[in-house]
Amino acid sequence: MPGVYPGMFPFGGTQATRHARRVYVGGLPPLANEQTIATYFSQVMAAVGGNTAGPGDAVVNVYINQEKKFAFVEMRTVEEASNAMALDGIMFEGVSVRVRRPSDYNPSMAATLGPSQPSPHLNLAAVGLTPGNAAGGADGPDRIFVGGLPYYLTEIQIKELLESFGPLRGFDLVKDRDTGNSKGYGFCVYQDPAVTDVAIAALNGLKMGDKTLSVRRASASGQPKPDQANVLAHAQQQIAIQKLALQASGANAVALGGMGFPGLPMMGGMFSGIGGMSPVETPTNVVALTQVVSPDELKDDEEYQDILEDMKEECGKYGNLVKLVIPRPRDGEDVPGVGKVFVEYSDTAGAAKAKASLHGRRFGGHSVVAVYYPAEKFSIEDYGG
């Protein structure tokens, strides 16, 4: 049954600040109760130097749901609640518990009430934690919502995907409190705020198997900052794609647990140890598509023009199309590249989006293979690669 630990309220916490003074603690051990939780977290906060409001216990109130094994722990101040976020993963009565913000936490409003991040001076080693833990604490004005995640991806795999753009300051994968299974969405914050819009631009709309990622800023102030406009434009070409587009060469799909998920990008070491992996490719602004057309389809002039126009229309959806080449067979000649479609974009951003979207598509009973093609060879009309 839910219960409340009636703590002392020397600081007179108000309802208006309550959302920012509480933390969610999940995965509680079976014998935990209001008193043990309050005592333990007050002692831990003191041990790490998180009691910034002065002497006394940091915890003033505990609401516990015994059936679902979670509790809301209320601190004296907003700053102490933010410090408590650094305790994610701490061992409590032999169990590693999760420390998160509650669902009613408002990052924008909380930012006006006090620090929204743990103090960097906390002595986490005193309680067996590693400083810089990025499992939780995904709050702040640069908080990113990541939706449409395939349910089969683990927390580690999702973090590897996100960290391909830079180190995370915080990451929260939302899970069902009864089953512990992923709900298919989460939140993250990057250590470098400049990475925020880069990651959003590169990941939003990305197809992962039968899912499409929906990635955006989580807060009301979720628009690219003016001073990041140039960073975003440049990063789409220089940074995001260099990391986003690392995909196993020639692979039709990534096997996860015996299941194929076409079009799923490989982010560096992502999914290492799961299925065989080919060497990664070097991103270019040219994509080669195979298993799209057959040589016989290209012999008829009218049919060839139809295919050419269809491919231009489809490939033009992913970026600024510069040139599209479909080599045609010629009687008595061995023409390099017959059966392939070569697509040149103005930048690697368009090429990466096309590659991720087209790779694994079913066409004429075959699964399309999309790979990067050397721009130098394409420029001299060498299609024999």
Side-chain angles (χ1 to χ4, degrees):
M1 292 292 292
V4 175
Y5 169 68
M8 303 300 292
F9 290 86
F11 290 86
T14 66
Q15 190 70 24
T17 63
R18 190 181 183 201
H19 74 98
R21 292 186 293 105
R22 294 194 310 165
V23 295
Y24 163 85
V25 181
L28 292 170
L31 300 181
N33 58 48
E34 295 87 347
Q35 182 64 60
T36 59
I37 294 171
T39 300
Y40 179 76
F41 275 88
S42 288
Q43 290 175 346
V44 169
M45 286 287 288
V48 301
N51 286 4
T52 55
D57 292 337
V59 178
V60 296
N61 192 40
V62 175
Y63 170 94
I64 186 171
N65 187 310
Q66 294 278 14
E67 183 180 351
K68 295 188 176 180
K69 294 183 174 56
F70 73 86
F72 293 108
V73 180
E74 187 174 342
M75 303 294 175
R76 295 179 295 185
T77 67
V78 172
E79 184 175 8
E80 289 184 340
S82 294
N83 286 340
M85 291 298 294
L87 302 178
D88 181 58
I90 195 168
M91 298 298 293
F92 174 42
E93 296 183 0
V95 174
S96 175
V97 296
R98 300 185 301 276
V99 181
R100 303 284 192 270
R101 295 289 192 183
S103 58
D104 64 347
Y105 179 73
N106 186 321
S108 300
M109 186 180 297
T112 67
L113 302 174
S116 59
Q117 297 298 321
S119 167
H121 305 298
L122 297 179
N123 182 18
L124 297 178
V127 293
L129 291 175
T130 302
N133 178 30
D139 303 305
D142 293 308
R143 188 185 194 211
I144 299 175
F145 167 82
V146 184
L149 292 165
Y151 298 114
Y152 52 79
L153 292 185
T154 67
E155 192 163 343
I156 292 176
Q157 290 170 340
I158 297 169
K159 283 177 64 178
E160 287 184 2
L161 164 64
L162 298 172
E163 287 175 340
S164 64
F165 297 95
L168 290 172
R169 189 180 70 197
F171 171 66
D172 291 326
L173 177 63
V174 179
K175 300 179 181 179
D176 186 280
R177 288 175 178 171
D178 291 326
T179 65
N181 295 331
S182 166
K183 286 190 173 184
Y185 69 95
F187 300 89
C188 72
V189 174
Y190 287 94
Q191 290 184 14
D192 181 2
V195 172
T196 302
D197 295 313
V198 173
I200 291 172
L203 293 174
N204 187 48
L206 182 68
K207 291 187 179 299
M208 301 187 74
D210 59 349
K211 296 281 189 178
T212 300
L213 292 188
S214 174
V215 184
R216 63 180 184 272
R217 284 178 177 266
S219 64
S221 58
Q223 299 298 324
K225 298 178 180 179
D227 61 340
Q228 290 181 341
N230 292 334
V231 174
L232 174 58
H234 179 71
Q236 283 182 313
Q237 183 173 357
Q238 299 294 329
I239 303 175
I241 304 309
Q242 291 294 323
K243 297 178 179 180
L244 173 65
L246 296 178
Q247 186 168 12
S249 176
N252 288 340
V254 179
L256 292 177
M259 301 176 66
F261 300 96
L264 183 62
M266 303 296 296
M267 304 299 174
M270 188 178 181
F271 310 125
S272 56
I274 305 179
M277 288 179 58
S278 303
V280 296
E281 301 174 82
T282 300
T284 72
N285 64 319
V286 181
V287 177
L289 307 174
T290 62
Q291 299 185 178
V292 179
V293 294
S294 67
D296 289 340
E297 293 173 316
L298 303 174
K299 292 179 180 179
D300 182 81
D301 290 343
E302 186 173 341
E303 188 171 2
Y304 176 80
Q305 286 300 322
D306 288 342
I307 294 173
L308 191 63
E309 292 304 316
D310 288 344
M311 291 304 302
K312 285 182 178 180
E313 181 179 355
E314 176 63 26
C315 295
K317 297 176 182 178
Y318 309 109
N320 184 19
L321 193 62
V322 176
K323 186 178 181 181
L324 188 143
V325 176
I326 305 178
R328 299 183 67 181
R330 292 191 292 268
D331 292 337
E333 293 185 42
D334 183 15
V335 180
V338 171
K340 296 182 180 181
V341 177
F342 298 88
V343 191
E344 181 185 19
Y345 290 90
S346 61
D347 54 31
T348 52
K353 191 171 182 180
K355 182 175 180 290
S357 299
L358 296 173
H359 186 75
R361 285 268 193 95
R362 301 294 296 179
F363 190 90
H366 300 285
S367 184
V368 175
V369 176
V371 298
Y372 288 112
Y373 194 77
E376 299 80 7
K377 295 181 68 174
F378 183 81
S379 66
I380 60 173
E381 301 182 354
D382 179 358
Y383 307 126

